[in-house]
Amino acid sequence: MKRMIIFALAAVVCIAAILAIASGNLLSLGHYLASADALRVVCLAAAALAFAAFASSIVTGDHSWVDRLWSTAPVAFAWYYAARSWGDWRTLAAALVITAWGTRLTFNFARKGGYSGTEDYRWPILRTRIAHPAAWQAFNLLFISCFQVGLLMLFTLPMYALVRTGARTAGAGDVGFAVLLAAFLGLLGLETVADEQQWRFHRAKRLAAEGKAFPERFRADVERGFLATGLFRHSRHPNYFAEVAQWWCLAFGAWCVAGGPPWLLAGGAVLTGLFAGSTIFTEGLSAAKYPEYRTYQKRVSPLIPWFGTMEGKERAPGREPVAGGDRSA
């Protein structure tokens, strides 16, 4: 936690420094924040965060600094946009739902030890695959630091469109905006349930490894090594599905209000691509570790909750199973 506090202070100093340079001097910083193009300010802040994350990874050897910004930076960007369009209920509502999203993710990340110096397990694995030091540091700079922080900035890009639209009287697009923000909150609830189920499963798995009693409902999951019940019965990654869908909801909600500039969809599109790549990588590790995971992959949807299950496809009531079991994908 001490390192996290030092990193947070260093990040604030980096942001202040780069914005002071952009504004001319520290005395002009307040005027610059209030009058400069809002997206330019957010981009400069994101660049400062990327630099802070990269420099911290060099000093500490820990490459999860951007992971620790994942739930907080979009919230900060959102409230800056809301401040620039104060009085407009749309930007305020968007900032509130993003804050709810960030609160959930911060809590879930903290209870996993993410702020106490635990590095994401994927980075050490990737370091062994990108063996050359220069190649690894290039990956660290360009992908881990710059690309990921840039993606955090893209999450809140729809709010920039709302700021540009400005406060105005209610219109037809506001209904769609409100419906999609409500959908965002519903997906947030789905993601919260998925996170809780996953947390309780891993707790049961730890208890089993220690030879202690654990909830009986997790017995089959513990024996196979991975969670395939609850929400994970019909989707291998229901939390990923909810996460991606939330940002699409925000983008299309802003589109209802501000019109259709295609860059509104950038955050959802890039996040979808990132999660697709991340899913392929992490599932490759799971399939190598757990013998039954290949069956799980064949029978259960990767993201969108569907009717396939670990035991096979769901059957209509009254239908008898095919002899030998269901071997369909």
Side-chain angles (χ1 to χ4, degrees), residues 31-315:
H31 175 73
Y32 181 79
L33 291 173
S35 61
D37 181 76
L39 181 58
R40 181 183 304 169
V41 173
V42 170
C43 286
L44 289 172
L49 290 175
F51 173 79
F54 177 70
S56 297
S57 71
I58 297 294
V59 172
T60 65
D62 180 346
H63 297 84
S64 282
W65 294 108
V66 176
D67 299 331
R68 296 168 188 128
L69 291 171
W70 199 272
S71 65
T72 52
V75 175
F77 298 157
W79 281 106
Y80 174 70
Y81 284 130
R84 289 295 302 270
S85 187
W86 198 254
D88 178 18
W89 71 269
R90 303 164 194 83
T91 54
L92 178 59
L96 287 171
V97 298
I98 291 173
T99 301
W101 165 87
T103 301
R104 179 209 64 80
L105 184 55
T106 299
F107 168 74
N108 197 52
F109 192 63
R111 69 177 173 175
K112 292 179 178 180
Y115 296 108
S116 59
T118 302
E119 187 180 41
D120 189 298
Y121 73 95
R122 291 168 292 189
W123 300 137
I125 295 172
L126 282 172
R127 279 201 296 272
T128 64
R129 298 184 181 184
I130 307 175
H132 196 284
W136 171 253
Q137 291 305 333
F139 177 80
N140 180 22
L141 173 64
L142 298 176
F143 178 79
I144 298 179
S145 300
C146 294
F147 172 78
Q148 290 198 109
V149 173
L151 178 56
L152 300 182
M153 181 270 295
L154 290 178
F155 284 173
T156 56
L157 195 55
M159 289 194 66
Y160 176 61
L162 297 175
V163 171
R164 290 182 60 185
T165 301
R168 58 172 178 74
T169 56
D174 292 341
V175 175
F177 178 75
V179 168
L180 285 163
L181 280 197
F184 185 112
L185 291 175
L187 289 162
L188 178 62
L190 176 69
E191 191 172 19
T192 302
V193 172
D195 284 341
E196 185 62 24
Q197 290 179 353
Q198 200 167 50
W199 171 258
R200 293 185 181 187
F201 161 69
H202 283 292
R203 185 171 59 186
K205 195 175 178 181
R206 287 194 300 271
L207 290 172
E210 295 168 1
K212 298 178 180 178
F214 60 90
E216 185 64 27
R217 68 180 182 276
F218 290 118
R219 180 164 298 280
D221 294 314
V222 168
E223 290 175 352
R224 69 169 64 96
F226 58 89
L227 182 60
T229 56
L231 292 177
F232 294 82
R233 178 175 170 81
H234 298 292
S235 169
R236 303 201 299 271
H237 303 282
N239 42 357
Y240 282 14
F241 164 71
E243 178 73 14
V244 171
Q246 284 172 89
W247 298 108
W248 281 108
C249 284
L250 180 65
F252 281 115
W255 200 342
C256 289
V257 174
W263 47 261
L264 276 180
L265 307 179
V270 176
L271 182 64
T272 301
L274 177 64
F275 272 24
S278 176
T279 298
I280 292 171
F281 177 66
T282 56
E283 289 201 341
L285 299 176
S286 296
K289 188 175 182 180
Y290 306 117
E292 294 184 73
Y293 201 83
R294 293 291 184 192
T295 302
Y296 186 53
Q297 287 179 300
K298 291 177 181 178
R299 291 180 171 176
V300 177
S301 167
L303 285 180
I304 301 174
W306 203 241
F307 296 107
T309 69
M310 184 66 184
E311 297 76 22
K313 290 184 177 179
E314 294 285 347
R315 300 178 182 84

Side-chain angles (χ1 to χ4, degrees), residues 1-47:
M1 184 58 71
K2 181 180 178 181
R3 289 200 309 169
M4 186 61 204
I5 295 172
I6 294 173
F7 170 72
L9 293 174
V12 170
V13 169
C14 286
I15 292 172
I18 197 169
L19 291 177
I21 292 171
S23 64
N25 57 67
L26 278 173
L27 296 178
S28 304
L29 183 56
H31 175 73
Y32 181 79
L33 291 173
S35 61
D37 181 76
L39 181 58
R40 181 183 304 169
V41 173
V42 170
C43 286
L44 289 172

